[in-house]
Amino acid sequence: MPLKTADIDILIVPGWTNSGPEHWQTRWERKLANARRVEQADWDRPVCADWVARIVDAVRQAKRPVVLIAHSCGVSAVVHAAPKLLPDKVAGALLVAPPDYESAARWTEPGSDWLVRESGFHPVPTAPLPFPSMVIASRNDPFASYEMAQEMALDWGSDIVDAGQSGHLNTVSGHGPWPEGLLKLGQFLKRLG
């Protein structure tokens, strides 16, 4: 029987600089009754170990099976946290727009060099994840090529979904409500049942 949102705790894991009020993660958090954000102490200068600790704590406090919904740098945090998560607590993870730190020299966002040099997210683990996962990646994401996202998904044992020419799947790329993403979440939850 497929999982329903009423049966799970959804943990929203935003990326670097958090997800603003119009970002699909924030909209989903408002729309889905069992969703809550994993808050971080510093969204602008993330430290991997701190972000991982917050994810581990949020999963531990959950009352129902957890589905993690991560975007960008939040994906990296989830992958780093995976070996520390209680295996019977995480039902799955939806991983959207994972960044490729190897390509960071091409990133144009001010301050993005912090993510590579100081944050501790790089290198991203390549071990298979201990729970089902789905990676959604774009063909023109400025933070990772589709081929690199495919490679990460293969390493993690994740299904890969081609989002076409969708940029970084964030507000800047026009993905405020992102109904296609909600459809993918529903399909993923059916698979987890």
Side-chain angles (χ1 to χ4, degrees):
M1 187 160 173
L3 278 182
K4 296 182 179 151
T5 55
D7 302 328
I8 58 175
D9 284 331
I10 296 173
L11 296 179
I12 305 285
V13 185
W16 176 49
T17 72
N18 200 353
S19 294
E22 297 306 313
H23 192 285
W24 60 266
Q25 283 187 307
T26 303
R27 290 171 182 243
W28 291 11
E29 182 182 3
R30 289 190 303 251
K31 182 177 186 158
L32 302 170
N34 296 339
R36 66 185 171 89
R37 183 176 307 243
V38 177
E39 292 291 344
Q40 300 296 344
D42 192 340
W43 291 105
D44 297 322
R45 294 180 77 76
V47 174
C48 182
D50 296 343
W51 281 36
V52 164
R54 295 279 177 109
I55 293 168
V56 170
D57 189 52
V59 169
R60 185 182 51 75
Q61 290 180 30
K63 304 293 185 223
R64 293 174 286 250
V66 168
V67 172
L68 298 156
I69 300 178
H71 179 258
S72 192
C73 176
V75 172
S76 306
V78 166
V79 174
H80 276 282
K84 299 176 182 189
L85 299 174
L86 297 170
D88 59 334
K89 289 287 291 242
V90 179
L94 185 69
L95 308 171
V96 180
D100 172 20
Y101 299 100
E102 296 292 332
S103 71
R106 296 190 312 268
W107 296 355
T108 59
E109 293 289 319
S112 60
D113 57 329
W114 166 267
L115 291 174
V116 175
R117 291 185 299 103
E118 306 291 335
S119 70
F121 288 112
H122 179 68
V124 176
T126 57
L129 296 175
F131 42 75
S133 57
M134 176 186 284
V135 170
I136 300 178
S138 166
R139 293 268 174 186
N140 63 338
D141 188 334
F143 297 101
S145 69
Y146 184 76
E147 293 72 25
M148 181 52 80
Q150 281 182 305
E151 190 175 313
M152 287 186 267
L154 182 64
D155 287 342
W156 301 333
S158 306
D159 292 339
I160 181 91
V161 174
D162 184 343
Q165 303 289 320
S166 299
H168 194 51
L169 292 157
N170 59 5
T171 309
V172 172
S173 64
H175 294 84
W178 197 34
E180 302 87 358
L182 274 175
L183 179 63
K184 292 299 178 197
L185 174 61
Q187 292 168 347
F188 183 59
L189 292 178
K190 282 183 185 174
R191 196 186 111 206
L192 297 180

